[in-house]
Short mmCIF file of all heavy atoms in Angstrom, two decimals:
data_model
loop_
_atom_site.label_atom_id
_atom_site.label_comp_id
_atom_site.label_asym_id
_atom_site.label_seq_id
_atom_site.Cartn_x
_atom_site.Cartn_y
_atom_site.Cartn_z
N MET A 14 108.98 85.58 100.09
CA MET A 14 109.72 86.63 100.78
C MET A 14 109.00 87.97 100.66
O MET A 14 108.91 88.73 101.61
CB MET A 14 111.13 86.74 100.18
CG MET A 14 112.03 85.55 100.51
SD MET A 14 113.64 85.69 99.75
CE MET A 14 114.28 87.16 100.53
N SER A 15 108.45 88.20 99.48
CA SER A 15 107.73 89.45 99.27
C SER A 15 106.51 89.53 100.16
O SER A 15 106.22 90.56 100.77
CB SER A 15 107.31 89.57 97.80
OG SER A 15 106.51 90.71 97.62
N THR A 16 105.78 88.38 100.31
CA THR A 16 104.58 88.35 101.14
C THR A 16 104.92 88.60 102.59
O THR A 16 104.28 89.38 103.28
CB THR A 16 103.86 86.99 100.99
OG1 THR A 16 103.51 86.83 99.62
CG2 THR A 16 102.61 86.95 101.85
N SER A 17 105.98 87.94 103.10
CA SER A 17 106.33 88.08 104.50
C SER A 17 106.86 89.47 104.81
O SER A 17 106.83 89.93 105.93
CB SER A 17 107.37 87.03 104.90
OG SER A 17 108.57 87.23 104.17
N ALA A 18 107.36 90.14 103.79
CA ALA A 18 107.94 91.46 104.00
C ALA A 18 106.94 92.59 103.75
O ALA A 18 107.28 93.75 103.88
CB ALA A 18 109.16 91.64 103.09
N MET A 19 105.71 92.21 103.37
CA MET A 19 104.71 93.23 103.05
C MET A 19 104.41 94.08 104.26
O MET A 19 104.42 93.61 105.40
CB MET A 19 103.42 92.57 102.56
CG MET A 19 103.48 92.03 101.14
SD MET A 19 101.98 91.14 100.70
CE MET A 19 100.77 92.45 100.88
N ALA A 20 104.14 95.34 104.02
CA ALA A 20 103.80 96.24 105.10
C ALA A 20 102.42 95.92 105.64
O ALA A 20 101.52 95.56 104.89
CB ALA A 20 103.85 97.68 104.61
N GLN A 21 102.25 96.02 106.96
CA GLN A 21 100.94 95.88 107.57
C GLN A 21 100.39 97.28 107.83
O GLN A 21 101.03 98.10 108.49
CB GLN A 21 101.04 95.09 108.89
CG GLN A 21 101.02 93.59 108.71
CD GLN A 21 102.31 93.04 108.10
OE1 GLN A 21 103.38 93.56 108.36
NE2 GLN A 21 102.19 92.01 107.29
N ASN A 22 99.21 97.55 107.29
CA ASN A 22 98.61 98.87 107.42
C ASN A 22 97.41 98.78 108.35
O ASN A 22 96.55 97.91 108.19
CB ASN A 22 98.17 99.37 106.04
CG ASN A 22 99.33 99.40 105.07
OD1 ASN A 22 100.40 99.89 105.39
ND2 ASN A 22 99.11 98.86 103.88
N ILE A 23 97.36 99.68 109.31
CA ILE A 23 96.27 99.64 110.28
C ILE A 23 95.58 100.99 110.38
O ILE A 23 96.15 102.03 110.06
CB ILE A 23 96.75 99.18 111.67
CG1 ILE A 23 97.73 100.21 112.27
CG2 ILE A 23 97.40 97.81 111.59
CD1 ILE A 23 98.16 99.85 113.69
N ALA A 24 94.33 100.95 110.82
CA ALA A 24 93.57 102.17 111.10
C ALA A 24 93.26 102.20 112.59
O ALA A 24 92.90 101.17 113.17
CB ALA A 24 92.28 102.20 110.28
N VAL A 25 93.39 103.37 113.18
CA VAL A 25 92.98 103.58 114.57
C VAL A 25 91.83 104.57 114.54
O VAL A 25 91.98 105.71 114.09
CB VAL A 25 94.13 104.12 115.43
CG1 VAL A 25 93.66 104.34 116.86
CG2 VAL A 25 95.33 103.17 115.40
N ILE A 26 90.67 104.11 114.98
CA ILE A 26 89.47 104.95 114.97
C ILE A 26 89.23 105.50 116.37
O ILE A 26 89.33 104.76 117.36
CB ILE A 26 88.26 104.15 114.46
CG1 ILE A 26 88.48 103.77 112.99
CG2 ILE A 26 86.96 104.93 114.63
CD1 ILE A 26 87.42 102.87 112.39
N ALA A 27 88.94 106.80 116.44
CA ALA A 27 88.85 107.47 117.73
C ALA A 27 87.65 108.41 117.77
O ALA A 27 86.92 108.55 116.80
CB ALA A 27 90.14 108.22 118.03
N GLY A 28 87.49 109.07 118.92
CA GLY A 28 86.35 109.95 119.13
C GLY A 28 86.52 111.31 118.48
O GLY A 28 87.43 111.54 117.68
N SER A 29 85.65 112.22 118.85
CA SER A 29 85.50 113.51 118.18
C SER A 29 86.78 114.33 118.16
O SER A 29 87.55 114.36 119.12
CB SER A 29 84.40 114.31 118.86
OG SER A 29 84.37 115.64 118.40
N ILE A 30 86.97 115.05 117.07
CA ILE A 30 88.08 115.98 116.95
C ILE A 30 87.93 117.13 117.94
O ILE A 30 88.89 117.87 118.20
CB ILE A 30 88.20 116.55 115.52
CG1 ILE A 30 86.89 117.25 115.10
CG2 ILE A 30 88.55 115.45 114.53
CD1 ILE A 30 86.95 117.92 113.74
N GLU A 31 86.74 117.28 118.52
CA GLU A 31 86.50 118.32 119.51
C GLU A 31 86.73 117.83 120.94
O GLU A 31 86.60 118.61 121.89
CB GLU A 31 85.06 118.83 119.38
CG GLU A 31 84.74 119.43 118.01
CD GLU A 31 83.26 119.75 117.84
OE1 GLU A 31 82.46 119.32 118.71
OE2 GLU A 31 82.91 120.44 116.88
N ASP A 32 87.05 116.57 121.09
CA ASP A 32 87.20 115.94 122.41
C ASP A 32 88.67 115.89 122.80
O ASP A 32 89.45 115.11 122.25
CB ASP A 32 86.61 114.52 122.34
CG ASP A 32 86.51 113.86 123.71
OD1 ASP A 32 87.21 114.31 124.64
OD2 ASP A 32 85.75 112.89 123.84
N GLY A 33 89.06 116.71 123.79
CA GLY A 33 90.46 116.80 124.19
C GLY A 33 91.02 115.51 124.74
O GLY A 33 92.24 115.28 124.70
N PHE A 34 90.17 114.62 125.27
CA PHE A 34 90.63 113.34 125.79
C PHE A 34 91.42 112.57 124.73
O PHE A 34 92.42 111.92 125.02
CB PHE A 34 89.42 112.51 126.24
CG PHE A 34 89.75 111.10 126.66
CD1 PHE A 34 90.21 110.82 127.92
CD2 PHE A 34 89.59 110.05 125.76
CE1 PHE A 34 90.52 109.51 128.30
CE2 PHE A 34 89.87 108.74 126.12
CZ PHE A 34 90.33 108.47 127.40
N PHE A 35 90.96 112.70 123.49
CA PHE A 35 91.59 111.92 122.43
C PHE A 35 92.90 112.51 121.95
O PHE A 35 93.62 111.88 121.16
CB PHE A 35 90.61 111.67 121.28
CG PHE A 35 89.64 110.58 121.63
CD1 PHE A 35 88.43 110.89 122.22
CD2 PHE A 35 89.98 109.26 121.46
CE1 PHE A 35 87.56 109.88 122.61
CE2 PHE A 35 89.12 108.24 121.84
CZ PHE A 35 87.91 108.56 122.42
N ASN A 36 93.26 113.69 122.44
CA ASN A 36 94.62 114.18 122.18
C ASN A 36 95.63 113.32 122.93
O ASN A 36 96.76 113.12 122.46
CB ASN A 36 94.74 115.64 122.63
CG ASN A 36 93.88 116.57 121.79
OD1 ASN A 36 93.58 116.27 120.63
ND2 ASN A 36 93.48 117.69 122.36
N LEU A 37 95.23 112.81 124.10
CA LEU A 37 96.11 111.92 124.87
C LEU A 37 96.18 110.54 124.22
O LEU A 37 97.24 109.92 124.19
CB LEU A 37 95.60 111.82 126.31
CG LEU A 37 95.51 113.15 127.06
CD1 LEU A 37 94.91 112.95 128.45
CD2 LEU A 37 96.88 113.80 127.17
N ILE A 38 95.04 110.07 123.71
CA ILE A 38 95.05 108.83 122.93
C ILE A 38 96.00 108.98 121.75
O ILE A 38 96.84 108.11 121.47
CB ILE A 38 93.64 108.49 122.42
CG1 ILE A 38 92.68 108.16 123.57
CG2 ILE A 38 93.69 107.37 121.38
CD1 ILE A 38 92.78 106.78 124.13
N LYS A 39 95.90 110.11 121.06
CA LYS A 39 96.71 110.34 119.86
C LYS A 39 98.20 110.41 120.18
O LYS A 39 99.03 109.97 119.39
CB LYS A 39 96.27 111.61 119.14
CG LYS A 39 96.95 111.77 117.76
CD LYS A 39 96.40 112.95 117.01
CE LYS A 39 96.97 113.00 115.59
NZ LYS A 39 98.43 113.11 115.56
N LYS A 40 98.54 110.95 121.34
CA LYS A 40 99.95 110.97 121.76
C LYS A 40 100.48 109.54 121.82
O LYS A 40 101.58 109.24 121.33
CB LYS A 40 100.08 111.66 123.11
CG LYS A 40 101.41 111.47 123.83
CD LYS A 40 102.56 112.14 123.13
CE LYS A 40 103.82 112.07 124.02
NZ LYS A 40 105.04 112.42 123.26
N GLY A 41 99.69 108.63 122.38
CA GLY A 41 100.09 107.23 122.42
C GLY A 41 100.16 106.61 121.04
O GLY A 41 101.09 105.86 120.72
N VAL A 42 99.17 106.93 120.20
CA VAL A 42 99.15 106.41 118.83
C VAL A 42 100.36 106.93 118.05
O VAL A 42 101.04 106.17 117.34
CB VAL A 42 97.85 106.80 118.10
CG1 VAL A 42 97.90 106.41 116.63
CG2 VAL A 42 96.65 106.14 118.77
N ASP A 43 100.65 108.20 118.20
CA ASP A 43 101.79 108.80 117.48
C ASP A 43 103.10 108.15 117.89
O ASP A 43 103.96 107.87 117.04
CB ASP A 43 101.86 110.31 117.75
CG ASP A 43 100.77 111.09 117.04
OD1 ASP A 43 100.11 110.52 116.15
OD2 ASP A 43 100.57 112.27 117.38
N ASP A 44 103.28 107.91 119.18
CA ASP A 44 104.52 107.28 119.64
C ASP A 44 104.63 105.84 119.12
O ASP A 44 105.70 105.39 118.72
CB ASP A 44 104.61 107.31 121.16
CG ASP A 44 104.93 108.70 121.69
OD1 ASP A 44 105.20 109.60 120.88
OD2 ASP A 44 104.90 108.89 122.93
N ALA A 45 103.50 105.12 119.12
CA ALA A 45 103.51 103.76 118.60
C ALA A 45 103.74 103.74 117.09
O ALA A 45 104.36 102.80 116.55
CB ALA A 45 102.20 103.06 118.93
N THR A 46 103.28 104.77 116.41
CA THR A 46 103.44 104.85 114.95
C THR A 46 104.92 104.88 114.56
O THR A 46 105.29 104.37 113.49
CB THR A 46 102.72 106.09 114.40
OG1 THR A 46 101.30 105.96 114.67
CG2 THR A 46 102.91 106.24 112.90
N LEU A 47 105.75 105.44 115.40
CA LEU A 47 107.19 105.45 115.11
C LEU A 47 107.72 104.02 114.98
O LEU A 47 108.52 103.72 114.08
CB LEU A 47 107.95 106.18 116.22
CG LEU A 47 107.59 107.66 116.41
CD1 LEU A 47 108.33 108.23 117.62
CD2 LEU A 47 107.92 108.46 115.16
N MET A 48 107.25 103.14 115.85
CA MET A 48 107.65 101.73 115.77
C MET A 48 107.05 101.06 114.55
O MET A 48 107.73 100.30 113.84
CB MET A 48 107.21 100.99 117.04
CG MET A 48 107.58 99.51 117.08
SD MET A 48 106.43 98.39 116.20
CE MET A 48 105.03 98.43 117.31
#
């Protein structure tokens, strides 16, 4: 039961912090993170 209930941890790797395109990617990631 403990194994099946373990949290799944994921990393999302993205482009440059200077690249505004990835602000839109992050909006999607942030919304999915709520789930």
Side-chain angles (χ1 to χ4, degrees):
M14 291 178 63
S15 174
T16 300
S17 63
M19 285 175 61
Q21 276 71 35
N22 303 313
I23 65 176
V25 179
I26 294 175
S29 170
I30 57 176
E31 300 172 349
D32 189 341
F34 174 83
F35 283 92
N36 294 334
L37 302 176
I38 294 280
K39 189 174 186 300
K40 166 67 172 166
V42 173
D43 287 347
D44 286 353
T46 297
L47 298 175
M48 180 277 288

